[in-house]
Amino acid sequence: MKDALAIHRWLLALQIHHEIVRLPRVLTSADELPEVLSASPATCVGVSVFEVTTRIGPEVVATVAPVGAPPRPGTVGGVLDVRRVRPASAFTVNSATDYAAGLVCPLLLPDGLTVLVDERLTRIDGPVHTPAGERHTALRIDAGDLLSLVPGKIVDLSVPRPRGEPMTARLVG
């Protein structure tokens, strides 16, 4: 499993300014970041993992979005134009991301994983917080730096999209 030290070393190698924050209490999921850090839910970033059924077969998809407004399965299904979407099991999250379920950092995700980034994150000017793969730490990083490092497509994950309507996206990372 990846942890705060792996993230810290990777960011140091890239010379990206960041901070590993020691939390005052244990974190069980990214949803708790705003309360634990006394931060706005709009500036706390979480990763949701979904199992989707495409025309070809099952696939795992990760979404990166503010914890205060996580994407709904229907929204993800509309963006990808897939037949079925459901939240992934903890086992699937652990296997697909190499992070503990609930504590997935949007950085250092496996290359083969499809990642969708909520466009609302592009409107944040300043630092964001995200889990760092461990229960006692979080990562504080500039939103622009985070977005430049997340390998995925920026899409509108705020509202459900009717099936068949084309996705508008732009590549990041």
Side-chain angles (χ1 to χ4, degrees):
M1 290 286 174
K2 294 179 184 134
D3 59 9
L5 184 57
I7 296 164
H8 177 66
R9 286 179 174 160
W10 184 68
L11 291 170
L12 282 176
L14 294 174
Q15 298 182 357
I16 301 292
H17 181 71
H18 67 283
E19 179 182 356
I20 300 295
V21 179
R22 185 92 172 137
L23 301 174
R25 69 175 177 88
V26 171
L27 189 69
T28 58
S29 82
D31 297 337
E32 298 171 356
L33 278 172
E35 179 186 337
V36 171
L37 294 170
S38 298
S40 166
T43 62
C44 293
V45 178
V47 175
S48 300
V49 180
F50 297 94
E51 293 180 68
V52 302
T53 304
T54 66
R55 290 177 186 91
I56 299 170
E59 184 181 337
V60 177
V61 174
T63 61
V64 180
V67 298
R72 297 187 310 214
T75 304
V76 174
V79 166
L80 296 173
D81 193 27
V82 295
R83 299 169 188 220
R84 183 174 169 211
V85 180
R86 67 178 182 187
S89 68
F91 175 80
T92 300
V93 173
N94 296 349
S95 300
T97 65
D98 202 24
Y99 284 104
L103 303 174
V104 179
C105 181
L107 301 177
L108 295 177
L109 293 171
D111 290 336
L113 183 65
T114 299
V115 179
L116 303 175
V117 180
D118 193 322
E119 74 174 353
R120 291 174 287 185
L121 295 176
T122 64
R123 299 181 203 131
I124 299 173
D125 185 29
V128 294
H129 292 90
T130 186
E134 300 173 350
R135 297 167 21 136
H136 296 284
T137 59
L139 171 67
R140 183 177 189 266
I141 187 169
D142 182 76
D145 288 338
L146 179 69
L147 291 174
S148 72
L149 297 170
V150 174
K153 293 180 182 176
I154 295 180
V155 296
D156 180 6
L157 293 174
S158 62
V159 294
R161 178 177 286 101
R163 280 184 58 94
E165 184 177 313
M167 169 181 77
T168 57
R170 58 187 169 104
L171 251 11
V172 256

